[in-house]
Amino acid sequence: MTEEFHRIRRLPPYVFAEVNKAKAAARARGEDIIDLGMGNPDTPTPPHIVQKLVETVSDPRAHRYSVSRGIPGLRRALAGYYERRFNVKLDPETEVIATLGSKEGLANLASAITSPGDTILVPNPSYPIHQFGFIIAGASVRSIPATPDDEMLEALDRAVRHSVPKPTALIVNFPSNPTAYLADLDFYRKLVAFARKHEIWILSDLAYAEIYFGDKVPPSILEVPGAKDIAVEFTSLSKTYSMAGWRMGFAAGNPKLISALTRIKSYLDYGAFTPIQVAAVAALSGPQDCVAEIRDIYRKRRDVLIQGLHAAGWDVPSPEGSMFAWAPIPEPFRELGSVGFSKLLLREAGVAVAPGLGFGEHGEGFVRIGLVENTQRLRQACRSIRHFMTEHGGLAPTSQQAAPLPDEQPAHS
């Protein structure tokens, strides 16, 4: 009775626990911690979406059990979004299902399609559920490079030739969490051709589809002809409409995969609360100005953060998309590792970040920094980091130190 349960034994210690513990202790001492460690949107949900929730929740009929796969109007709204945004036609009855966020959908589909011992290909580093959803389901995970380029395609080819049994599924996530990489449609074409040739399922996580900052607009893998033969794609309202706590997501694509997810969910839940689903229809089908406004807020935050970190002597690449910066640990601190550096930064600068090791062993040497505070707080974080770097001899050359910060923005930005 003292032995750990089998599936729990397969899960490693929670890498973020040490930083979270230190963060809680600092707050208990009354310290002001700027928390950039969790991808938790802080901007308000657009008013028309909230109003639809309030309107619907006052109807007592909406308080009964809902529909596990999503009410018909919601599935039609998601299909409408795909046609507007990607020029992809979906059958709301057979190619769309609503989920309790994309994370729940990914984990339940992993359980639905996985046999013990299956080999699953997962980018490393990547969002933890991408590998642990399948590990919990009994699969073996093989890591591949996380970059959307020939390096990943060559690794996929080696994996097919040298894995026993042959891989059954592949996870991709662009714009990527944590690395912020973006893929283009040409890469997806190569990926789909490879997967069709080798009969491998593709699970695409497109949760950050609308958080991008330049002319490179994230495509959907379902735009590729023939993709629906082997691919399903997960999307979410969490970041697009600042609805993270609402837990509203979707899977769309291959009918066989959608059917498998539908069946397993029918045993596990009754779907999201109906008023939330109705409000989600308002989000997808209503005015979309709010999406561009939210994107602009993240762009302004990105500019303030990256320029401020450069001025502090920390050379961090500017992300093209997502709500994160993927930051290499500065040279003077690399021997600490990502967990040690995160704890030191928290203790001495009052800034919390996520250690890269939590996203896979190839995330070591990096930390993930979330754009989840307003520009005023981000400037404060950069000043604290600059002082921290100065104290430890990690300050950049004068030309970088003198880099001006962008003009002040309103506190909500």
Tab-separated table of all heavy atoms in Angstrom, residues 195-231:
chain	number	residue	atom	x	y	z
A	195	ALA	N	3.750	12.611	-43.173
A	195	ALA	CA	2.831	11.861	-42.312
A	195	ALA	C	1.898	10.974	-43.130
A	195	ALA	O	1.596	9.836	-42.725
A	195	ALA	CB	2.023	12.831	-41.451
A	196	ARG	N	1.443	11.458	-44.264
A	196	ARG	CA	0.583	10.629	-45.111
A	196	ARG	C	1.357	9.434	-45.657
A	196	ARG	O	0.837	8.310	-45.705
A	196	ARG	CB	0.001	11.461	-46.246
A	196	ARG	CG	-0.980	12.534	-45.789
A	196	ARG	CD	-1.574	13.294	-46.965
A	196	ARG	NE	-2.482	12.446	-47.734
A	196	ARG	CZ	-3.037	12.807	-48.882
A	196	ARG	NH1	-2.753	14.002	-49.402
A	196	ARG	NH2	-3.854	12.002	-49.516
A	197	LYS	N	2.597	9.665	-46.046
A	197	LYS	CA	3.419	8.572	-46.588
A	197	LYS	C	3.628	7.469	-45.556
A	197	LYS	O	3.557	6.278	-45.878
A	197	LYS	CB	4.768	9.128	-47.044
A	197	LYS	CG	5.736	8.065	-47.547
A	197	LYS	CD	7.061	8.689	-47.946
A	197	LYS	CE	8.060	7.611	-48.390
A	197	LYS	NZ	9.373	8.230	-48.780
A	198	HIS	N	3.858	7.873	-44.304
A	198	HIS	CA	4.192	6.889	-43.267
A	198	HIS	C	3.001	6.557	-42.357
A	198	HIS	O	3.166	5.838	-41.372
A	198	HIS	CB	5.356	7.408	-42.429
A	198	HIS	CG	6.630	7.548	-43.203
A	198	HIS	ND1	7.388	6.461	-43.589
A	198	HIS	CD2	7.268	8.651	-43.685
A	198	HIS	CE1	8.456	6.887	-44.255
A	198	HIS	NE2	8.402	8.213	-44.328
A	199	GLU	N	1.822	7.083	-42.685
A	199	GLU	CA	0.599	6.805	-41.936
A	199	GLU	C	0.771	7.124	-40.447
A	199	GLU	O	0.585	6.277	-39.563
A	199	GLU	CB	0.159	5.350	-42.134
A	199	GLU	CG	-0.157	5.020	-43.590
A	199	GLU	CD	-0.668	3.602	-43.765
A	199	GLU	OE1	-0.262	2.725	-42.972
A	199	GLU	OE2	-1.467	3.377	-44.692
A	200	ILE	N	1.139	8.381	-40.193
A	200	ILE	CA	1.331	8.885	-38.834
A	200	ILE	C	0.324	10.005	-38.595
A	200	ILE	O	0.165	10.908	-39.421
A	200	ILE	CB	2.767	9.434	-38.649
A	200	ILE	CG1	3.792	8.297	-38.800
A	200	ILE	CG2	2.922	10.106	-37.292
A	200	ILE	CD1	5.225	8.780	-38.807
A	201	TRP	N	-0.369	9.941	-37.473
A	201	TRP	CA	-1.301	11.014	-37.119
A	201	TRP	C	-0.531	12.265	-36.733
A	201	TRP	O	0.523	12.176	-36.109
A	201	TRP	CB	-2.194	10.602	-35.937
A	201	TRP	CG	-3.096	9.434	-36.159
A	201	TRP	CD1	-3.032	8.222	-35.543
A	201	TRP	CD2	-4.222	9.379	-37.045
A	201	TRP	NE1	-4.049	7.412	-35.992
A	201	TRP	CE2	-4.796	8.091	-36.915
A	201	TRP	CE3	-4.810	10.280	-37.944
A	201	TRP	CZ2	-5.918	7.689	-37.636
A	201	TRP	CZ3	-5.914	9.882	-38.673
A	201	TRP	CH2	-6.455	8.606	-38.515
A	202	ILE	N	-1.078	13.440	-37.054
A	202	ILE	CA	-0.519	14.714	-36.603
A	202	ILE	C	-1.531	15.389	-35.695
A	202	ILE	O	-2.699	15.545	-36.052
A	202	ILE	CB	-0.186	15.659	-37.774
A	202	ILE	CG1	0.887	15.051	-38.670
A	202	ILE	CG2	0.282	17.014	-37.244
A	202	ILE	CD1	1.214	15.924	-39.885
A	203	LEU	N	-1.071	15.800	-34.516
A	203	LEU	CA	-1.873	16.594	-33.591
A	203	LEU	C	-1.228	17.975	-33.519
A	203	LEU	O	-0.119	18.129	-33.004
A	203	LEU	CB	-1.916	15.961	-32.198
A	203	LEU	CG	-2.881	14.791	-31.969
A	203	LEU	CD1	-2.559	13.599	-32.869
A	203	LEU	CD2	-2.827	14.353	-30.507
A	204	SER	N	-1.901	18.961	-34.083
A	204	SER	CA	-1.371	20.326	-34.138
A	204	SER	C	-2.018	21.176	-33.052
A	204	SER	O	-3.233	21.258	-32.956
A	204	SER	CB	-1.653	20.937	-35.519
A	204	SER	OG	-1.366	22.318	-35.536
A	205	ASP	N	-1.191	21.820	-32.242
A	205	ASP	CA	-1.660	22.722	-31.189
A	205	ASP	C	-1.513	24.150	-31.699
A	205	ASP	O	-0.410	24.666	-31.825
A	205	ASP	CB	-0.832	22.499	-29.922
A	205	ASP	CG	-1.299	23.361	-28.748
A	205	ASP	OD1	-2.165	24.238	-28.960
A	205	ASP	OD2	-0.797	23.164	-27.637
A	206	LEU	N	-2.651	24.794	-32.005
A	206	LEU	CA	-2.669	26.140	-32.577
A	206	LEU	C	-3.276	27.137	-31.597
A	206	LEU	O	-3.992	28.056	-31.970
A	206	LEU	CB	-3.452	26.125	-33.896
A	206	LEU	CG	-3.343	27.328	-34.829
A	206	LEU	CD1	-1.920	27.543	-35.311
A	206	LEU	CD2	-4.290	27.185	-36.017
A	207	ALA	N	-2.960	26.954	-30.313
A	207	ALA	CA	-3.569	27.802	-29.281
A	207	ALA	C	-3.202	29.274	-29.431
A	207	ALA	O	-3.943	30.149	-28.975
A	207	ALA	CB	-3.160	27.303	-27.897
A	208	TYR	N	-2.053	29.575	-30.061
A	208	TYR	CA	-1.589	30.965	-30.183
A	208	TYR	C	-1.750	31.502	-31.601
A	208	TYR	O	-1.010	32.385	-32.026
A	208	TYR	CB	-0.128	31.056	-29.729
A	208	TYR	CG	0.034	30.730	-28.270
A	208	TYR	CD1	0.260	29.417	-27.851
A	208	TYR	CD2	-0.084	31.717	-27.302
A	208	TYR	CE1	0.360	29.113	-26.507
A	208	TYR	CE2	0.027	31.419	-25.962
A	208	TYR	CZ	0.244	30.108	-25.566
A	208	TYR	OH	0.343	29.804	-24.235
A	209	ALA	N	-2.758	31.004	-32.314
A	209	ALA	CA	-2.951	31.374	-33.721
A	209	ALA	C	-3.050	32.868	-33.943
A	209	ALA	O	-2.593	33.388	-34.967
A	209	ALA	CB	-4.210	30.691	-34.265
A	210	GLU	N	-3.638	33.597	-32.993
A	210	GLU	CA	-3.901	35.017	-33.200
A	210	GLU	C	-2.924	35.930	-32.480
A	210	GLU	O	-3.073	37.159	-32.507
A	210	GLU	CB	-5.338	35.354	-32.769
A	210	GLU	CG	-6.410	34.524	-33.462
A	210	GLU	CD	-6.367	34.628	-34.983
A	210	GLU	OE1	-5.812	35.615	-35.509
A	210	GLU	OE2	-6.871	33.707	-35.648
A	211	ILE	N	-1.896	35.355	-31.835
A	211	ILE	CA	-0.899	36.182	-31.147
A	211	ILE	C	0.382	36.165	-31.984
A	211	ILE	O	1.240	35.301	-31.845
A	211	ILE	CB	-0.627	35.670	-29.716
A	211	ILE	CG1	-1.928	35.486	-28.952
A	211	ILE	CG2	0.300	36.644	-28.987
A	211	ILE	CD1	-2.750	36.745	-28.767
A	212	TYR	N	0.464	37.117	-32.901
A	212	TYR	CA	1.633	37.257	-33.767
A	212	TYR	C	1.879	38.748	-33.961
A	212	TYR	O	0.991	39.569	-33.781
A	212	TYR	CB	1.409	36.551	-35.101
A	212	TYR	CG	0.190	37.040	-35.862
A	212	TYR	CD1	0.282	38.088	-36.778
A	212	TYR	CD2	-1.055	36.469	-35.648
A	212	TYR	CE1	-0.832	38.547	-37.450
A	212	TYR	CE2	-2.177	36.919	-36.322
A	212	TYR	CZ	-2.061	37.955	-37.222
A	212	TYR	OH	-3.165	38.420	-37.884
A	213	PHE	N	3.121	39.112	-34.358
A	213	PHE	CA	3.518	40.512	-34.273
A	213	PHE	C	4.025	41.112	-35.574
A	213	PHE	O	4.333	42.304	-35.622
A	213	PHE	CB	4.587	40.676	-33.192
A	213	PHE	CG	4.190	40.085	-31.868
A	213	PHE	CD1	4.961	39.115	-31.267
A	213	PHE	CD2	3.017	40.480	-31.246
A	213	PHE	CE1	4.592	38.565	-30.044
A	213	PHE	CE2	2.637	39.937	-30.033
A	213	PHE	CZ	3.428	38.967	-29.432
A	214	GLY	N	4.150	40.345	-36.610
A	214	GLY	CA	4.672	40.875	-37.863
A	214	GLY	C	3.793	40.478	-39.031
A	214	GLY	O	2.599	40.189	-38.880
A	215	ASP	N	4.392	40.447	-40.210
A	215	ASP	CA	3.658	40.089	-41.426
A	215	ASP	C	3.474	38.586	-41.573
A	215	ASP	O	2.697	38.134	-42.414
A	215	ASP	CB	4.401	40.625	-42.655
A	215	ASP	CG	4.465	42.149	-42.659
A	215	ASP	OD1	3.535	42.769	-42.099
A	215	ASP	OD2	5.434	42.701	-43.204
A	216	LYS	N	4.194	37.815	-40.795
A	216	LYS	CA	4.106	36.355	-40.865
A	216	LYS	C	2.915	35.895	-40.023
A	216	LYS	O	2.988	35.813	-38.799
A	216	LYS	CB	5.416	35.739	-40.353
A	216	LYS	CG	5.554	34.252	-40.609
A	216	LYS	CD	6.943	33.778	-40.191
A	216	LYS	CE	7.121	32.286	-40.416
A	216	LYS	NZ	8.465	31.816	-40.009
A	217	VAL	N	1.805	35.611	-40.696
A	217	VAL	CA	0.563	35.236	-40.014
A	217	VAL	C	0.516	33.718	-39.876
A	217	VAL	O	0.644	32.999	-40.872
A	217	VAL	CB	-0.656	35.739	-40.805
A	217	VAL	CG1	-1.950	35.341	-40.109
A	217	VAL	CG2	-0.588	37.255	-40.975
A	218	PRO	N	0.352	33.200	-38.664
A	218	PRO	CA	0.368	31.748	-38.472
A	218	PRO	C	-0.723	31.053	-39.287
A	218	PRO	O	-1.899	31.425	-39.201
A	218	PRO	CB	0.119	31.584	-36.967
A	218	PRO	CG	0.570	32.873	-36.372
A	218	PRO	CD	0.238	33.922	-37.385
A	219	PRO	N	-0.359	30.047	-40.087
A	219	PRO	CA	-1.361	29.286	-40.827
A	219	PRO	C	-1.886	28.112	-39.999
A	219	PRO	O	-1.367	27.811	-38.915
A	219	PRO	CB	-0.570	28.773	-42.031
A	219	PRO	CG	0.820	28.577	-41.489
A	219	PRO	CD	1.018	29.637	-40.429
A	220	SER	N	-2.898	27.462	-40.525
A	220	SER	CA	-3.387	26.204	-39.969
A	220	SER	C	-2.855	25.054	-40.806
A	220	SER	O	-2.794	25.148	-42.045
A	220	SER	CB	-4.918	26.182	-39.989
A	220	SER	OG	-5.410	24.856	-39.860
A	221	ILE	N	-2.496	23.960	-40.167
A	221	ILE	CA	-2.051	22.794	-40.920
A	221	ILE	C	-3.171	22.262	-41.808
A	221	ILE	O	-2.922	21.646	-42.851
A	221	ILE	CB	-1.524	21.693	-39.972
A	221	ILE	CG1	-0.690	20.683	-40.757
A	221	ILE	CG2	-2.662	21.015	-39.215
A	221	ILE	CD1	0.065	19.709	-39.880
A	222	LEU	N	-4.425	22.551	-41.434
A	222	LEU	CA	-5.558	22.058	-42.219
A	222	LEU	C	-5.702	22.793	-43.549
A	222	LEU	O	-6.501	22.377	-44.397
A	222	LEU	CB	-6.848	22.184	-41.408
A	222	LEU	CG	-6.891	21.399	-40.096
A	222	LEU	CD1	-8.240	21.591	-39.404
A	222	LEU	CD2	-6.612	19.918	-40.319
A	223	GLU	N	-4.942	23.854	-43.766
A	223	GLU	CA	-4.933	24.527	-45.057
A	223	GLU	C	-4.276	23.675	-46.135
A	223	GLU	O	-4.488	23.887	-47.331
A	223	GLU	CB	-4.206	25.864	-44.958
A	223	GLU	CG	-4.895	26.912	-44.100
A	223	GLU	CD	-4.114	28.213	-44.055
A	223	GLU	OE1	-3.865	28.785	-45.138
A	223	GLU	OE2	-3.759	28.656	-42.948
A	224	VAL	N	-3.455	22.722	-45.737
A	224	VAL	CA	-2.748	21.877	-46.700
A	224	VAL	C	-3.723	20.839	-47.269
A	224	VAL	O	-4.379	20.125	-46.510
A	224	VAL	CB	-1.563	21.159	-46.025
A	224	VAL	CG1	-0.863	20.236	-47.018
A	224	VAL	CG2	-0.582	22.173	-45.456
A	225	PRO	N	-3.843	20.736	-48.592
A	225	PRO	CA	-4.707	19.697	-49.170
A	225	PRO	C	-4.310	18.312	-48.678
A	225	PRO	O	-3.133	17.951	-48.661
A	225	PRO	CB	-4.454	19.841	-50.679
A	225	PRO	CG	-4.023	21.264	-50.859
A	225	PRO	CD	-3.231	21.593	-49.630
A	226	GLY	N	-5.282	17.552	-48.243
A	226	GLY	CA	-5.029	16.206	-47.741
A	226	GLY	C	-4.707	16.144	-46.263
A	226	GLY	O	-4.582	15.049	-45.699
A	227	ALA	N	-4.573	17.297	-45.591
A	227	ALA	CA	-4.201	17.293	-44.168
A	227	ALA	C	-5.261	16.599	-43.328
A	227	ALA	O	-4.936	15.919	-42.338
A	227	ALA	CB	-3.974	18.715	-43.679
A	228	LYS	N	-6.526	16.768	-43.690
A	228	LYS	CA	-7.576	16.169	-42.873
A	228	LYS	C	-7.563	14.646	-42.923
A	228	LYS	O	-8.234	13.996	-42.125
A	228	LYS	CB	-8.949	16.710	-43.276
A	228	LYS	CG	-9.207	18.109	-42.742
A	228	LYS	CD	-10.669	18.501	-42.780
A	228	LYS	CE	-11.124	18.871	-44.156
A	228	LYS	NZ	-12.506	19.408	-44.160
A	229	ASP	N	-6.763	14.072	-43.828
A	229	ASP	CA	-6.612	12.612	-43.852
A	229	ASP	C	-5.867	12.107	-42.624
A	229	ASP	O	-6.065	10.956	-42.205
A	229	ASP	CB	-5.848	12.170	-45.105
A	229	ASP	CG	-6.615	12.405	-46.377
A	229	ASP	OD1	-7.843	12.612	-46.305
A	229	ASP	OD2	-5.977	12.393	-47.462
A	230	ILE	N	-5.007	12.978	-42.062
A	230	ILE	CA	-4.134	12.488	-40.974
A	230	ILE	C	-4.005	13.469	-39.804
A	230	ILE	O	-3.322	13.163	-38.826
A	230	ILE	CB	-2.711	12.156	-41.502
A	230	ILE	CG1	-2.197	13.258	-42.456
A	230	ILE	CG2	-2.690	10.814	-42.215
A	230	ILE	CD1	-1.567	14.428	-41.803
A	231	ALA	N	-4.654	14.631	-39.871
A	231	ALA	CA	-4.374	15.658	-38.865
A	231	ALA	C	-5.624	16.134	-38.143
A	231	ALA	O	-6.713	16.205	-38.722
A	231	ALA	CB	-3.680	16.859	-39.508
